[in-house]
Amino acid sequence: GTFSSTNKDGITRIIHESYDTPQSLRLAEDLRLFHSHLLADGLLRLHRTEHPLVTYRHRAGASQSSQTPRKLLLHLRVLAFEQAVLRSDPLWAGPFVIWGAGRDGKEFVKALSNDVRKRVACFVDVDERKIEAGYYDYKDMDIRIPIVHFSWLSTSREETDGEVLFGRIDKTRNGEQVGSKVEGGSRKKRKDTADEKSSASFKKKSKTKVPKGLDLALLPTLPFVVCVSMYRTNGALEANVKSVGRTEGKDMWHFS
């Protein structure tokens, strides 16, 4: 489980029940301060002092950044997101959707508190293989979540009747351009051409594949979290997200 503690002054401290130890509390202090500030509605006061209160010393190979586990950072960020949005905003009090059934989306759902995780209605994606599989299963945590095409989220089905942008995240170094416009780009132009030719037929097929127990009619009303890296798809991800009709910071948030 996860929790955050609130002291007598009403200041919330971001502490993770499973991943924090007395030793780890000295790590990620900037991230903890930032989210505590946000959870306090930006009302934390920073005071200038005549003399330094803390002096940081750096030794090669012994920086706190190198000692901070990636999973600790993830779980602290998810905990803060739960506190700020998933447990506080009435729009997010019920079921919600996760956009992206890849690594980031799976890590996000595994980091959620058990009670919040149960509110995940489904994943949405563009990847044919994931959608054809029908579910994301992780038996160690008793997770089984449906996966459907993102167009089921659309508040106006006509908005997604046109082009559906396919592909993979650009993982090349130094922002090298690979292939054409994609929600995550193929490394070969011929693969992009195949994606373009198959997009219409796949979209039609994907809309007929309904995982058992999922109410598709509910999806246009649900908020969603985008767990796919932005600005790495030549605009394809952003175009797809825009096409389903949500407002960022209200019923749609990016988390990656």
Side-chain angles (χ1 to χ4, degrees):
T2 55
F3 74 101
S4 58
S5 64
T6 304
N7 65 18
K8 62 183 180 180
D9 296 320
I11 303 302
T12 300
R13 299 183 64 205
I14 304 300
I15 303 172
H16 197 284
E17 185 176 36
S18 301
Y19 282 85
D20 264 322
T21 65
Q23 292 73 34
S24 74
L25 289 176
R26 67 185 178 83
L27 302 175
E29 72 278 11
D30 51 350
L31 181 68
R32 298 176 198 269
L33 174 63
F34 174 70
H35 284 295
S36 292
H37 185 58
L38 293 181
L39 290 171
D41 294 326
L43 298 179
L44 292 189
R45 302 300 183 192
L46 301 180
H47 298 279
R48 294 185 179 276
T49 62
E50 265 185 59
H51 306 288
L53 301 179
V54 177
T55 301
Y56 286 91
R57 294 180 175 85
H58 174 74
R59 290 182 292 122
S63 69
Q64 288 194 4
S65 295
S66 65
Q67 296 173 14
T68 305
R70 184 181 66 84
K71 282 197 172 183
L72 174 62
L73 296 176
L74 169 68
H75 280 78
L76 292 177
R77 292 177 61 227
V78 171
L79 173 58
F81 186 71
E82 285 187 357
Q83 295 295 325
V85 178
L86 300 178
R87 296 187 184 279
S88 302
D89 190 333
L91 282 174
W92 292 78
F96 64 95
V97 174
I98 299 175
W99 185 305
R103 184 199 67 181
D104 291 349
K106 292 172 183 176
E107 291 298 317
F108 176 79
V109 79
K110 287 189 288 187
L112 291 170
S113 301
N114 291 332
D115 61 320
V116 175
R117 189 185 305 117
K118 291 177 182 177
R119 293 199 271 122
V120 177
C122 67
F123 283 104
V124 298
D125 211 290
V126 296
D127 190 312
E128 182 172 2
R129 291 173 299 176
K130 295 185 180 75
I131 295 171
E132 285 296 313
Y135 295 89
Y136 165 58
D137 290 296
Y138 188 68
K139 293 182 180 179
D140 289 353
M141 299 180 69
D142 196 25
I143 294 174
R144 182 171 173 81
I145 299 175
I147 305 173
V148 297
H149 192 262
F150 78 86
S151 59
W152 285 110
L153 291 174
S154 178
T155 54
S156 174
R157 199 52 63 85
E158 286 143 4
E159 291 179 8
T160 53
D161 280 345
E163 181 185 14
V164 175
L165 304 178
F166 283 75
R168 296 164 186 78
I169 291 295
D170 176 4
K171 294 183 180 178
T172 56
R173 295 181 181 178
N174 302 321
E176 296 172 359
Q177 293 297 313
V178 291
S180 60
K181 190 176 187 182
V182 289
E183 180 179 330
S186 177
R187 295 185 182 276
K188 297 183 179 179
K189 289 187 178 180
R190 62 176 178 270
K191 179 63 168 61
D192 294 333
T193 302
D195 280 343
E196 290 166 6
K197 288 181 178 178
S198 67
S199 64
S201 61
F202 168 59
K203 185 186 176 198
K204 183 177 180 180
K205 179 173 65 174
S206 69
K207 285 193 173 186
T208 64
K209 186 175 179 64
V210 182
K212 186 178 179 180
L214 179 62
D215 183 3
L216 293 175
L218 183 65
L219 297 190
T221 69
L222 298 184
F224 62 86
V225 187
V226 181
C227 293
V228 181
S229 297
M230 298 178 66
Y231 312 121
R232 296 177 63 185
T233 63
N234 289 332
L237 169 66
E238 291 77 13
N240 287 340
V241 170
K242 183 178 180 181
S243 73
V244 300
R246 298 294 194 281
T247 302
E248 185 172 0
K250 183 179 178 183
D251 49 7
M252 184 271 285
W253 287 88
H254 286 273
F255 188 101
S256 61

